[in-house]
Amino acid sequence: NTLPILAATYAELGSLDEARAVVAKISAANPSVTLKFMREAFPFGTEADTERFISALRKAGLPE
């Protein structure tokens, strides 16, 4: 699913309204999706990359 990446991208670009709208779609489809879940579902090559992704999703409003 590319929605988490889209939400993180919007957040990184400062388009928080769009990022939050994508997070709302994610949450509507699966209310149990959290930052912890995303950390496990989308492992990146480095911890720094993973942290940047999680931080962006946090800005977008995905719950802990």
Side-chain angles (χ1 to χ4, degrees), residues 15-36:
S15 300
L16 294 180
D17 289 340
E18 289 87 349
R20 290 181 184 126
V22 175
V23 164
K25 288 180 184 180
I26 294 167
S27 296
N30 189 346
S32 65
V33 172
T34 62
L35 293 174
K36 180 181 178 188

Side-chain angles (χ1 to χ4, degrees), residues 1-13 15 18-23 25-26 42 53 56-57 60:
N1 191 332
T2 59
L3 287 178
I5 294 170
L6 181 60
T9 300
Y10 277 138
E12 285 287 289
L13 292 172
S15 300
E18 289 87 349
R20 290 181 184 126
V22 175
V23 164
K25 288 180 184 180
I26 294 167
F42 287 86
F53 177 65
L57 289 176

